[in-house]
Amino acid sequence: MSASVAKTEAAGYFSDGPPLGKIAPSGGSVVREATSVGETPAWEIFICKACGLLYDESKGDEDSGLTAGTRFADIPDDWACPLCGVTKADFEIYVAEPVRQARSSTTKAPRANRRPGTVIVGAGRAGWQIAQTLRTQDTRMSITLVTSCNGDVYDKPLLSVAMARGITVDKLPRETGALAAQRLNIKLLANTDAIRITPASRQLRTSRGTLPYQHLVLAHGAEARSLPVFPPELCWRINHLRVYSKFRAALGMTPQRVAVVGAGLIGCELANDLALAGHSVTLLDIADRPLATSLKPEQSQQLLDAWTPLSLTFVGNVQVKHVAPSATLTGKENEKEIATECGRVFTVDHIVLAAGLQTPNALALSAGLAWNNGIDVHAETLATSVKGIYALGDCISIDGRINRYIEPIGRQAKTIAASITGGPPAPYALTRVPLRIKTSSLPFTV
Amino acid sequence: MEVLERPLTDLQHDFDLIKAVRELAKGPLADLADDIDRRGIYPKSILHRLGELGALKAHMAEPGKPADYGLAIAAMTEVSRVCGATGFMVWCHDVCGVYMEQSGNTALMGDVLIKHSSGQTLGATGMSNPMKTFAGIETFLLHAKKVDGGYVVNGTLPWVSNLGPDHYFGAVADIAVDGVVKSEIMFLVRCDAPGVELRNCPSFSAMEGTNTWAVRLTDYFVGAKEMIADPVRPFIGRIRAAFILLQTGMGLGVAQGAIDSMWTVERQLGHVNEFLDDRPDDLQAELDDLTARIMLLAKTPFGADKQFIIDVLDARAHASELALRAAQSALLHQGARGYLMTSEVQRRVRESHFVAIVTPAVKHLRKEIARLSAEEQPA
């Protein structure tokens, strides 16, 4: 092996982008020598695309026989990168990118606490609630919250009524994730995917490293169901703020034609909100009336009557057969077509699939958690089948039943926090809570 | 030196093969390991012997013998347990066999593949650059042009390992039309062919005997006999899990070797070592769980389901992380004796670094897992 390595500041950097030491404070510009003597053009720096070595014209490369001041253009074509051996042609002009914050997605950890504490997965209502409850009961426990979103705190029910109430997307978060984490003195790992649980060694594997835990609380919720007929690149599935924000942005400021497929709770609430905001909405369902599983037939009729003044058309008894980008030559980009089994075709600008929720099972499966329609938890302790792991909120099932409402979450958090902190037991009790249907034109409580 | 044996009973595989590989590793390979690491000795005879034993073809289907990726990984683990560099070269050779077998090109199969599988000829892989290019991290370094009867390829690949004058390796070049990359080809580079030049690399901090060179291709001709895949992307999609799964043998082996060295000082130093994190019994339990998980994944090496790929990527990342932790902990367990330049313990620290940075590195694996985990939505 030949050629010495330590020649330029780049030596030692492999293919990991620019060495930090050479980055101009302003960033984004080609790095040049500050001095410009007479008419000499500024020195330039070239980077090896294979290994990241920098060739600085002002310094040359003594070991290759290139004296200081040798222009890159004047280097012989058979010159090789002194670090990795690729040719001159594999170099390009070095443009310093601005320094990205080392880990923009992580908030500062609380004071070092060597015992692995509690790790929470999910930053929806359930995740923040258990974090808050734990912190209230134990001021010193190390708590880490892992979430695939940015962790902002918001009220999900608002997503059903925000347009009609004129709430812009930026007003939906009550508190940023970073501020909430600071307030509760917890570590927030935002934009981080929880990949796998290894219960034997009590570790949560994530896309930003592996976290040891003493207690793990799963609060990752459910996701909007996907169906094979509805290609994800064409159809919105809205169950959290991140996707909702993108959807609102896609709607823009002009009235749009929107098809909402599925006239259950989310479908009806969203369709109503879209129509009140001035969009032209077609609401499709297999059933012959909206909210067929929650309302009596006469209530469904009252709802349809309440919708009469709006541009909201309910189409019942239809099964979607096919969804595709529009084939008609209207010149409108992004137009989509929904074809039904019975031969009807709807041409729209946006499609929202509201076919209910399902709990993702990969994390639970990786830990071998008992599964029964959702993460199977003990009815009173909310413990999963694996020691040290609890779950609450939309991702759990008790005796196979799912109960995806806001009200139980606070009580569930108290139950789990009592177990984790060793406080007096606070057994959870399943109670029936009234269901508020937020169809703004005519709300129901059932 | 006292090495506590790991029982073979946890293996569902060909015990005889693993026993034979273990004998070779503990004997002749262990004697060479330091020379391979620091003096650049290339363990050609060891690789040939591994081929004779059948350790380089466990993952290749033969008449009457289905492919067994788990066995191939287990064999690589036994080699890496003693010498990470040689374990890496076993992977280079093994995965080259996958390229040839899966190419469907008769010129790369039949007798040619039998010679390869039995280690009579030796192969390698120059796929780091294309793999990173497909992940959006780099751009292609080799460029092909269509000519009569095939292509000519130009460009330089840095750091291709397990090379020799009569070796060969799989590589990818892009084909640009009017400066825009239109497609790629994957092909075998024969080191003894015209237009192939092996150039020296600077020293690495470990694993000097891996015969690692920069390869410069000048109008290298790729004919039908050398073609592995055209188009390349569906082929890579198909072999991706197999490629990554096989690599786990390196991490598992380096981690096991490190745990072995912790036990050798346990009787003497256990009274102080008990205050350390990552004790050998904890690490062994984690390693055994991970091994079991990898053996399960290895039953379907050509799986392409998204969740399966995430699992494979994560298993590879876990093996790297465990190798890093175990090697680090072994050094703390051994203290000064592990810090001697001749100690396998400090060598293994450097080997574990390699396991964690060789493509796909831990950070690449995580980036890819994050990409695959993201919900697909309308643009």
Side-chain angles (χ1 to χ4, degrees), chain B residues 286-309:
Chain B
E286 192 174 335
L287 179 62
D288 289 348
D289 282 354
L290 177 61
T291 303
R293 181 182 160 206
I294 287 170
M295 290 301 145
L296 199 63
L297 295 168
K299 287 183 192 296
T300 55
F302 295 97
D305 167 67
K306 189 157 89 170
Q307 187 57 48
F308 177 77
I309 297 289

mmCIF file with all atom_site columns, all heavy atoms in Angstrom, chain B residues 286-309:
data_model
loop_
_atom_site.group_PDB
_atom_site.id
_atom_site.type_symbol
_atom_site.label_atom_id
_atom_site.label_alt_id
_atom_site.label_comp_id
_atom_site.label_asym_id
_atom_site.label_entity_id
_atom_site.label_seq_id
_atom_site.pdbx_PDB_ins_code
_atom_site.Cartn_x
_atom_site.Cartn_y
_atom_site.Cartn_z
_atom_site.occupancy
_atom_site.B_iso_or_equiv
_atom_site.pdbx_formal_charge
_atom_site.auth_seq_id
_atom_site.auth_comp_id
_atom_site.auth_asym_id
_atom_site.auth_atom_id
_atom_site.pdbx_PDB_model_num
ATOM 1   N N   . GLU B 1 286 ? -28.091 -11.890 23.885 1.00 0.00 ? 286 GLU B N   1
ATOM 2   C CA  . GLU B 1 286 ? -28.553 -11.011 22.808 1.00 0.00 ? 286 GLU B CA  1
ATOM 3   C C   . GLU B 1 286 ? -28.098 -11.541 21.448 1.00 0.00 ? 286 GLU B C   1
ATOM 4   O O   . GLU B 1 286 ? -28.854 -11.531 20.472 1.00 0.00 ? 286 GLU B O   1
ATOM 5   C CB  . GLU B 1 286 ? -28.009 -9.591  23.056 1.00 0.00 ? 286 GLU B CB  1
ATOM 6   C CG  . GLU B 1 286 ? -28.650 -8.540  22.165 1.00 0.00 ? 286 GLU B CG  1
ATOM 7   C CD  . GLU B 1 286 ? -28.213 -7.109  22.518 1.00 0.00 ? 286 GLU B CD  1
ATOM 8   O OE1 . GLU B 1 286 ? -27.814 -6.863  23.680 1.00 0.00 ? 286 GLU B OE1 1
ATOM 9   O OE2 . GLU B 1 286 ? -28.262 -6.252  21.619 1.00 0.00 ? 286 GLU B OE2 1
ATOM 10  N N   . LEU B 1 287 ? -26.852 -12.028 21.428 1.00 0.00 ? 287 LEU B N   1
ATOM 11  C CA  . LEU B 1 287 ? -26.312 -12.571 20.171 1.00 0.00 ? 287 LEU B CA  1
ATOM 12  C C   . LEU B 1 287 ? -27.079 -13.825 19.749 1.00 0.00 ? 287 LEU B C   1
ATOM 13  O O   . LEU B 1 287 ? -27.389 -14.010 18.565 1.00 0.00 ? 287 LEU B O   1
ATOM 14  C CB  . LEU B 1 287 ? -24.818 -12.891 20.353 1.00 0.00 ? 287 LEU B CB  1
ATOM 15  C CG  . LEU B 1 287 ? -24.099 -13.490 19.149 1.00 0.00 ? 287 LEU B CG  1
ATOM 16  C CD1 . LEU B 1 287 ? -24.106 -12.523 17.965 1.00 0.00 ? 287 LEU B CD1 1
ATOM 17  C CD2 . LEU B 1 287 ? -22.646 -13.834 19.512 1.00 0.00 ? 287 LEU B CD2 1
ATOM 18  N N   . ASP B 1 288 ? -27.396 -14.676 20.704 1.00 0.00 ? 288 ASP B N   1
ATOM 19  C CA  . ASP B 1 288 ? -28.131 -15.904 20.354 1.00 0.00 ? 288 ASP B CA  1
ATOM 20  C C   . ASP B 1 288 ? -29.524 -15.572 19.820 1.00 0.00 ? 288 ASP B C   1
ATOM 21  O O   . ASP B 1 288 ? -29.991 -16.197 18.865 1.00 0.00 ? 288 ASP B O   1
ATOM 22  C CB  . ASP B 1 288 ? -28.228 -16.830 21.577 1.00 0.00 ? 288 ASP B CB  1
ATOM 23  C CG  . ASP B 1 288 ? -26.885 -17.453 21.933 1.00 0.00 ? 288 ASP B CG  1
ATOM 24  O OD1 . ASP B 1 288 ? -25.946 -17.353 21.111 1.00 0.00 ? 288 ASP B OD1 1
ATOM 25  O OD2 . ASP B 1 288 ? -26.755 -18.024 23.042 1.00 0.00 ? 288 ASP B OD2 1
ATOM 26  N N   . ASP B 1 289 ? -30.176 -14.586 20.441 1.00 0.00 ? 289 ASP B N   1
ATOM 27  C CA  . ASP B 1 289 ? -31.498 -14.172 19.941 1.00 0.00 ? 289 ASP B CA  1
ATOM 28  C C   . ASP B 1 289 ? -31.394 -13.637 18.516 1.00 0.00 ? 289 ASP B C   1
ATOM 29  O O   . ASP B 1 289 ? -32.213 -13.944 17.652 1.00 0.00 ? 289 ASP B O   1
ATOM 30  C CB  . ASP B 1 289 ? -32.091 -13.072 20.835 1.00 0.00 ? 289 ASP B CB  1
ATOM 31  C CG  . ASP B 1 289 ? -32.669 -13.630 22.116 1.00 0.00 ? 289 ASP B CG  1
ATOM 32  O OD1 . ASP B 1 289 ? -32.703 -14.874 22.243 1.00 0.00 ? 289 ASP B OD1 1
ATOM 33  O OD2 . ASP B 1 289 ? -33.072 -12.836 22.991 1.00 0.00 ? 289 ASP B OD2 1
ATOM 34  N N   . LEU B 1 290 ? -30.379 -12.806 18.313 1.00 0.00 ? 290 LEU B N   1
ATOM 35  C CA  . LEU B 1 290 ? -30.199 -12.218 16.988 1.00 0.00 ? 290 LEU B CA  1
ATOM 36  C C   . LEU B 1 290 ? -29.880 -13.308 15.959 1.00 0.00 ? 290 LEU B C   1
ATOM 37  O O   . LEU B 1 290 ? -30.396 -13.294 14.833 1.00 0.00 ? 290 LEU B O   1
ATOM 38  C CB  . LEU B 1 290 ? -29.078 -11.166 17.029 1.00 0.00 ? 290 LEU B CB  1
ATOM 39  C CG  . LEU B 1 290 ? -28.730 -10.511 15.696 1.00 0.00 ? 290 LEU B CG  1
ATOM 40  C CD1 . LEU B 1 290 ? -29.929 -9.771  15.101 1.00 0.00 ? 290 LEU B CD1 1
ATOM 41  C CD2 . LEU B 1 290 ? -27.550 -9.550  15.860 1.00 0.00 ? 290 LEU B CD2 1
ATOM 42  N N   . THR B 1 291 ? -29.035 -14.261 16.360 1.00 0.00 ? 291 THR B N   1
ATOM 43  C CA  . THR B 1 291 ? -28.688 -15.353 15.449 1.00 0.00 ? 291 THR B CA  1
ATOM 44  C C   . THR B 1 291 ? -29.947 -16.135 15.061 1.00 0.00 ? 291 THR B C   1
ATOM 45  O O   . THR B 1 291 ? -30.164 -16.437 13.878 1.00 0.00 ? 291 THR B O   1
ATOM 46  C CB  . THR B 1 291 ? -27.664 -16.298 16.109 1.00 0.00 ? 291 THR B CB  1
ATOM 47  O OG1 . THR B 1 291 ? -26.518 -15.538 16.480 1.00 0.00 ? 291 THR B OG1 1
ATOM 48  C CG2 . THR B 1 291 ? -27.243 -17.410 15.157 1.00 0.00 ? 291 THR B CG2 1
ATOM 49  N N   . ALA B 1 292 ? -30.773 -16.419 16.059 1.00 0.00 ? 292 ALA B N   1
ATOM 50  C CA  . ALA B 1 292 ? -32.005 -17.166 15.775 1.00 0.00 ? 292 ALA B CA  1
ATOM 51  C C   . ALA B 1 292 ? -32.881 -16.384 14.802 1.00 0.00 ? 292 ALA B C   1
ATOM 52  O O   . ALA B 1 292 ? -33.476 -16.947 13.871 1.00 0.00 ? 292 ALA B O   1
ATOM 53  C CB  . ALA B 1 292 ? -32.756 -17.428 17.077 1.00 0.00 ? 292 ALA B CB  1
ATOM 54  N N   . ARG B 1 293 ? -32.938 -15.077 15.011 1.00 0.00 ? 293 ARG B N   1
ATOM 55  C CA  . ARG B 1 293 ? -33.755 -14.236 14.140 1.00 0.00 ? 293 ARG B CA  1
ATOM 56  C C   . ARG B 1 293 ? -33.205 -14.246 12.711 1.00 0.00 ? 293 ARG B C   1
ATOM 57  O O   . ARG B 1 293 ? -33.953 -14.339 11.740 1.00 0.00 ? 293 ARG B O   1
ATOM 58  C CB  . ARG B 1 293 ? -33.729 -12.817 14.717 1.00 0.00 ? 293 ARG B CB  1
ATOM 59  C CG  . ARG B 1 293 ? -34.542 -11.832 13.967 1.00 0.00 ? 293 ARG B CG  1
ATOM 60  C CD  . ARG B 1 293 ? -34.389 -10.456 14.620 1.00 0.00 ? 293 ARG B CD  1
ATOM 61  N NE  . ARG B 1 293 ? -34.747 -9.418  13.698 1.00 0.00 ? 293 ARG B NE  1
ATOM 62  C CZ  . ARG B 1 293 ? -34.288 -8.186  13.734 1.00 0.00 ? 293 ARG B CZ  1
ATOM 63  N NH1 . ARG B 1 293 ? -33.438 -7.833  14.680 1.00 0.00 ? 293 ARG B NH1 1
ATOM 64  N NH2 . ARG B 1 293 ? -34.669 -7.308  12.850 1.00 0.00 ? 293 ARG B NH2 1
ATOM 65  N N   . ILE B 1 294 ? -31.892 -14.153 12.595 1.00 0.00 ? 294 ILE B N   1
ATOM 66  C CA  . ILE B 1 294 ? -31.271 -14.131 11.265 1.00 0.00 ? 294 ILE B CA  1
ATOM 67  C C   . ILE B 1 294 ? -31.463 -15.483 10.571 1.00 0.00 ? 294 ILE B C   1
ATOM 68  O O   . ILE B 1 294 ? -31.720 -15.551 9.369  1.00 0.00 ? 294 ILE B O   1
ATOM 69  C CB  . ILE B 1 294 ? -29.781 -13.750 11.384 1.00 0.00 ? 294 ILE B CB  1
ATOM 70  C CG1 . ILE B 1 294 ? -29.677 -12.253 11.712 1.00 0.00 ? 294 ILE B CG1 1
ATOM 71  C CG2 . ILE B 1 294 ? -29.018 -14.071 10.105 1.00 0.00 ? 294 ILE B CG2 1
ATOM 72  C CD1 . ILE B 1 294 ? -28.299 -11.773 12.096 1.00 0.00 ? 294 ILE B CD1 1
ATOM 73  N N   . MET B 1 295 ? -31.374 -16.569 11.340 1.00 0.00 ? 295 MET B N   1
ATOM 74  C CA  . MET B 1 295 ? -31.571 -17.895 10.740 1.00 0.00 ? 295 MET B CA  1
ATOM 75  C C   . MET B 1 295 ? -32.986 -18.025 10.171 1.00 0.00 ? 295 MET B C   1
ATOM 76  O O   . MET B 1 295 ? -33.202 -18.656 9.140  1.00 0.00 ? 295 MET B O   1
ATOM 77  C CB  . MET B 1 295 ? -31.305 -18.989 11.780 1.00 0.00 ? 295 MET B CB  1
ATOM 78  C CG  . MET B 1 295 ? -29.849 -19.109 12.153 1.00 0.00 ? 295 MET B CG  1
ATOM 79  S SD  . MET B 1 295 ? -28.828 -19.473 10.698 1.00 0.00 ? 295 MET B SD  1
ATOM 80  C CE  . MET B 1 295 ? -27.327 -18.583 11.058 1.00 0.00 ? 295 MET B CE  1
ATOM 81  N N   . LEU B 1 296 ? -33.920 -17.388 10.848 1.00 0.00 ? 296 LEU B N   1
ATOM 82  C CA  . LEU B 1 296 ? -35.305 -17.418 10.356 1.00 0.00 ? 296 LEU B CA  1
ATOM 83  C C   . LEU B 1 296 ? -35.425 -16.613 9.052  1.00 0.00 ? 296 LEU B C   1
ATOM 84  O O   . LEU B 1 296 ? -36.026 -17.068 8.075  1.00 0.00 ? 296 LEU B O   1
ATOM 85  C CB  . LEU B 1 296 ? -36.216 -16.832 11.442 1.00 0.00 ? 296 LEU B CB  1
ATOM 86  C CG  . LEU B 1 296 ? -37.695 -17.163 11.362 1.00 0.00 ? 296 LEU B CG  1
ATOM 87  C CD1 . LEU B 1 296 ? -37.900 -18.670 11.526 1.00 0.00 ? 296 LEU B CD1 1
ATOM 88  C CD2 . LEU B 1 296 ? -38.460 -16.423 12.472 1.00 0.00 ? 296 LEU B CD2 1
ATOM 89  N N   . LEU B 1 297 ? -34.836 -15.428 9.057  1.00 0.00 ? 297 LEU B N   1
ATOM 90  C CA  . LEU B 1 297 ? -34.868 -14.600 7.849  1.00 0.00 ? 297 LEU B CA  1
ATOM 91  C C   . LEU B 1 297 ? -34.170 -15.312 6.688  1.00 0.00 ? 297 LEU B C   1
ATOM 92  O O   . LEU B 1 297 ? -34.568 -15.187 5.528  1.00 0.00 ? 297 LEU B O   1
ATOM 93  C CB  . LEU B 1 297 ? -34.194 -13.238 8.111  1.00 0.00 ? 297 LEU B CB  1
ATOM 94  C CG  . LEU B 1 297 ? -34.870 -12.315 9.131  1.00 0.00 ? 297 LEU B CG  1
ATOM 95  C CD1 . LEU B 1 297 ? -33.956 -11.156 9.504  1.00 0.00 ? 297 LEU B CD1 1
ATOM 96  C CD2 . LEU B 1 297 ? -36.196 -11.776 8.585  1.00 0.00 ? 297 LEU B CD2 1
ATOM 97  N N   . ALA B 1 298 ? -33.117 -16.065 7.026  1.00 0.00 ? 298 ALA B N   1
ATOM 98  C CA  . ALA B 1 298 ? -32.308 -16.711 5.988  1.00 0.00 ? 298 ALA B CA  1
ATOM 99  C C   . ALA B 1 298 ? -33.051 -17.848 5.287  1.00 0.00 ? 298 ALA B C   1
ATOM 100 O O   . ALA B 1 298 ? -32.574 -18.367 4.288  1.00 0.00 ? 298 ALA B O   1
ATOM 101 C CB  . ALA B 1 298 ? -31.002 -17.239 6.598  1.00 0.00 ? 298 ALA B CB  1
ATOM 102 N N   . LYS B 1 299 ? -34.199 -18.216 5.824  1.00 0.00 ? 299 LYS B N   1
ATOM 103 C CA  . LYS B 1 299 ? -34.988 -19.266 5.155  1.00 0.00 ? 299 LYS B CA  1
ATOM 104 C C   . LYS B 1 299 ? -35.629 -18.753 3.874  1.00 0.00 ? 299 LYS B C   1
ATOM 105 O O   . LYS B 1 299 ? -36.023 -19.537 3.012  1.00 0.00 ? 299 LYS B O   1
ATOM 106 C CB  . LYS B 1 299 ? -36.065 -19.800 6.103  1.00 0.00 ? 299 LYS B CB  1
ATOM 107 C CG  . LYS B 1 299 ? -35.519 -20.677 7.223  1.00 0.00 ? 299 LYS B CG  1
ATOM 108 C CD  . LYS B 1 299 ? -36.674 -21.207 8.065  1.00 0.00 ? 299 LYS B CD  1
ATOM 109 C CE  . LYS B 1 299 ? -36.202 -21.844 9.358  1.00 0.00 ? 299 LYS B CE  1
ATOM 110 N NZ  . LYS B 1 299 ? -35.368 -23.033 9.167  1.00 0.00 ? 299 LYS B NZ  1
ATOM 111 N N   . THR B 1 300 ? -35.797 -17.430 3.775  1.00 0.00 ? 300 THR B N   1
ATOM 112 C CA  . THR B 1 300 ? -36.399 -16.848 2.562  1.00 0.00 ? 300 THR B CA  1
ATOM 113 C C   . THR B 1 300 ? -35.511 -15.717 2.049  1.00 0.00 ? 300 THR B C   1
ATOM 114 O O   . THR B 1 300 ? -35.894 -14.554 2.083  1.00 0.00 ? 300 THR B O   1
ATOM 115 C CB  . THR B 1 300 ? -37.798 -16.284 2.872  1.00 0.00 ? 300 THR B CB  1
ATOM 116 O OG1 . THR B 1 300 ? -37.679 -15.345 3.975  1.00 0.00 ? 300 THR B OG1 1
ATOM 117 C CG2 . THR B 1 300 ? -38.772 -17.358 3.268  1.00 0.00 ? 300 THR B CG2 1
ATOM 118 N N   . PRO B 1 301 ? -34.303 -16.076 1.566  1.00 0.00 ? 301 PRO B N   1
ATOM 119 C CA  . PRO B 1 301 ? -33.324 -15.030 1.240  1.00 0.00 ? 301 PRO B CA  1
ATOM 120 C C   . PRO B 1 301 ? -33.736 -14.116 0.087  1.00 0.00 ? 301 PRO B C   1
ATOM 121 O O   . PRO B 1 301 ? -33.147 -13.059 -0.086 1.00 0.00 ? 301 PRO B O   1
ATOM 122 C CB  . PRO B 1 301 ? -32.063 -15.822 0.875  1.00 0.00 ? 301 PRO B CB  1
ATOM 123 C CG  . PRO B 1 301 ? -32.555 -17.173 0.504  1.00 0.00 ? 301 PRO B CG  1
ATOM 124 C CD  . PRO B 1 301 ? -33.771 -17.427 1.321  1.00 0.00 ? 301 PRO B CD  1
ATOM 125 N N   . PHE B 1 302 ? -34.722 -14.536 -0.682 1.00 0.00 ? 302 PHE B N   1
ATOM 126 C CA  . PHE B 1 302 ? -35.118 -13.703 -1.814 1.00 0.00 ? 302 PHE B CA  1
ATOM 127 C C   . PHE B 1 302 ? -36.463 -13.020 -1.572 1.00 0.00 ? 302 PHE B C   1
ATOM 128 O O   . PHE B 1 302 ? -37.125 -12.577 -2.503 1.00 0.00 ? 302 PHE B O   1
ATOM 129 C CB  . PHE B 1 302 ? -35.121 -14.519 -3.114 1.00 0.00 ? 302 PHE B CB  1
ATOM 130 C CG  . PHE B 1 302 ? -33.742 -14.986 -3.484 1.00 0.00 ? 302 PHE B CG  1
ATOM 131 C CD1 . PHE B 1 302 ? -33.315 -16.260 -3.157 1.00 0.00 ? 302 PHE B CD1 1
ATOM 132 C CD2 . PHE B 1 302 ? -32.854 -14.121 -4.114 1.00 0.00 ? 302 PHE B CD2 1
ATOM 133 C CE1 . PHE B 1 302 ? -32.025 -16.687 -3.472 1.00 0.00 ? 302 PHE B CE1 1
ATOM 134 C CE2 . PHE B 1 302 ? -31.563 -14.526 -4.430 1.00 0.00 ? 302 PHE B CE2 1
ATOM 135 C CZ  . PHE B 1 302 ? -31.148 -15.817 -4.107 1.00 0.00 ? 302 PHE B CZ  1
ATOM 136 N N   . GLY B 1 303 ? -36.823 -12.901 -0.308 1.00 0.00 ? 303 GLY B N   1
ATOM 137 C CA  . GLY B 1 303 ? -38.041 -12.183 0.037  1.00 0.00 ? 303 GLY B CA  1
ATOM 138 C C   . GLY B 1 303 ? -37.939 -10.735 -0.407 1.00 0.00 ? 303 GLY B C   1
ATOM 139 O O   . GLY B 1 303 ? -36.857 -10.154 -0.410 1.00 0.00 ? 303 GLY B O   1
ATOM 140 N N   . ALA B 1 304 ? -39.061 -10.145 -0.801 1.00 0.00 ? 304 ALA B N   1
ATOM 141 C CA  . ALA B 1 304 ? -39.010 -8.772  -1.306 1.00 0.00 ? 304 ALA B CA  1
ATOM 142 C C   . ALA B 1 304 ? -40.080 -7.906  -0.655 1.00 0.00 ? 304 ALA B C   1
ATOM 143 O O   . ALA B 1 304 ? -40.169 -6.713  -0.945 1.00 0.00 ? 304 ALA B O   1
ATOM 144 C CB  . ALA B 1 304 ? -39.173 -8.764  -2.816 1.00 0.00 ? 304 ALA B CB  1
ATOM 145 N N   . ASP B 1 305 ? -40.877 -8.511  0.216  1.00 0.00 ? 305 ASP B N   1
ATOM 146 C CA  . ASP B 1 305 ? -41.912 -7.775  0.933  1.00 0.00 ? 305 ASP B CA  1
ATOM 147 C C   . ASP B 1 305 ? -41.270 -6.655  1.766  1.00 0.00 ? 305 ASP B C   1
ATOM 148 O O   . ASP B 1 305 ? -40.186 -6.826  2.318  1.00 0.00 ? 305 ASP B O   1
ATOM 149 C CB  . ASP B 1 305 ? -42.636 -8.791  1.828  1.00 0.00 ? 305 ASP B CB  1
ATOM 150 C CG  . ASP B 1 305 ? -43.516 -8.129  2.843  1.00 0.00 ? 305 ASP B CG  1
ATOM 151 O OD1 . ASP B 1 305 ? -44.498 -7.516  2.415  1.00 0.00 ? 305 ASP B OD1 1
ATOM 152 O OD2 . ASP B 1 305 ? -43.217 -8.207  4.054  1.00 0.00 ? 305 ASP B OD2 1
ATOM 153 N N   . LYS B 1 306 ? -41.933 -5.497  1.814  1.00 0.00 ? 306 LYS B N   1
ATOM 154 C CA  . LYS B 1 306 ? -41.340 -4.322  2.455  1.00 0.00 ? 306 LYS B CA  1
ATOM 155 C C   . LYS B 1 306 ? -40.954 -4.594  3.912  1.00 0.00 ? 306 LYS B C   1
ATOM 156 O O   . LYS B 1 306 ? -39.849 -4.264  4.339  1.00 0.00 ? 306 LYS B O   1
ATOM 157 C CB  . LYS B 1 306 ? -42.311 -3.143  2.365  1.00 0.00 ? 306 LYS B CB  1
ATOM 158 C CG  . LYS B 1 306 ? -41.695 -1.841  2.803  1.00 0.00 ? 306 LYS B CG  1
ATOM 159 C CD  . LYS B 1 306 ? -42.411 -0.647  2.213  1.00 0.00 ? 306 LYS B CD  1
ATOM 160 C CE  . LYS B 1 306 ? -43.542 -0.207  3.087  1.00 0.00 ? 306 LYS B CE  1
ATOM 161 N NZ  . LYS B 1 306 ? -44.120 1.080   2.664  1.00 0.00 ? 306 LYS B NZ  1
ATOM 162 N N   . GLN B 1 307 ? -41.851 -5.202  4.669  1.00 0.00 ? 307 GLN B N   1
ATOM 163 C CA  . GLN B 1 307 ? -41.558 -5.446  6.075  1.00 0.00 ? 307 GLN B CA  1
ATOM 164 C C   . GLN B 1 307 ? -40.400 -6.433  6.219  1.00 0.00 ? 307 GLN B C   1
ATOM 165 O O   . GLN B 1 307 ? -39.574 -6.308  7.124  1.00 0.00 ? 307 GLN B O   1
ATOM 166 C CB  . GLN B 1 307 ? -42.808 -5.960  6.805  1.00 0.00 ? 307 GLN B CB  1
ATOM 167 C CG  . GLN B 1 307 ? -42.649 -6.079  8.315  1.00 0.00 ? 307 GLN B CG  1
ATOM 168 C CD  . GLN B 1 307 ? -42.238 -4.758  8.978  1.00 0.00 ? 307 GLN B CD  1
ATOM 169 O OE1 . GLN B 1 307 ? -42.815 -3.714  8.726  1.00 0.00 ? 307 GLN B OE1 1
ATOM 170 N NE2 . GLN B 1 307 ? -41.200 -4.806  9.818  1.00 0.00 ? 307 GLN B NE2 1
ATOM 171 N N   . PHE B 1 308 ? -40.321 -7.401  5.304  1.00 0.00 ? 308 PHE B N   1
ATOM 172 C CA  . PHE B 1 308 ? -39.217 -8.365  5.339  1.00 0.00 ? 308 PHE B CA  1
ATOM 173 C C   . PHE B 1 308 ? -37.885 -7.651  5.106  1.00 0.00 ? 308 PHE B C   1
ATOM 174 O O   . PHE B 1 308 ? -36.899 -7.885  5.808  1.00 0.00 ? 308 PHE B O   1
ATOM 175 C CB  . PHE B 1 308 ? -39.431 -9.458  4.284  1.00 0.00 ? 308 PHE B CB  1
ATOM 176 C CG  . PHE B 1 308 ? -38.305 -10.457 4.214  1.00 0.00 ? 308 PHE B CG  1
ATOM 177 C CD1 . PHE B 1 308 ? -38.172 -11.450 5.170  1.00 0.00 ? 308 PHE B CD1 1
ATOM 178 C CD2 . PHE B 1 308 ? -37.369 -10.392 3.186  1.00 0.00 ? 308 PHE B CD2 1
ATOM 179 C CE1 . PHE B 1 308 ? -37.119 -12.362 5.109  1.00 0.00 ? 308 PHE B CE1 1
ATOM 180 C CE2 . PHE B 1 308 ? -36.309 -11.289 3.120  1.00 0.00 ? 308 PHE B CE2 1
ATOM 181 C CZ  . PHE B 1 308 ? -36.191 -12.282 4.081  1.00 0.00 ? 308 PHE B CZ  1
ATOM 182 N N   . ILE B 1 309 ? -37.876 -6.754  4.129  1.00 0.00 ? 309 ILE B N   1
ATOM 183 C CA  . ILE B 1 309 ? -36.640 -6.017  3.841  1.00 0.00 ? 309 ILE B CA  1
ATOM 184 C C   . ILE B 1 309 ? -36.247 -5.153  5.051  1.00 0.00 ? 309 ILE B C   1
ATOM 185 O O   . ILE B 1 309 ? -35.071 -5.106  5.433  1.00 0.00 ? 309 ILE B O   1
ATOM 186 C CB  . ILE B 1 309 ? -36.807 -5.118  2.583  1.00 0.00 ? 309 ILE B CB  1
ATOM 187 C CG1 . ILE B 1 309 ? -37.083 -5.977  1.342  1.00 0.00 ? 309 ILE B CG1 1
ATOM 188 C CG2 . ILE B 1 309 ? -35.571 -4.240  2.373  1.00 0.00 ? 309 ILE B CG2 1
ATOM 189 C CD1 . ILE B 1 309 ? -35.904 -6.777  0.841  1.00 0.00 ? 309 ILE B CD1 1
#
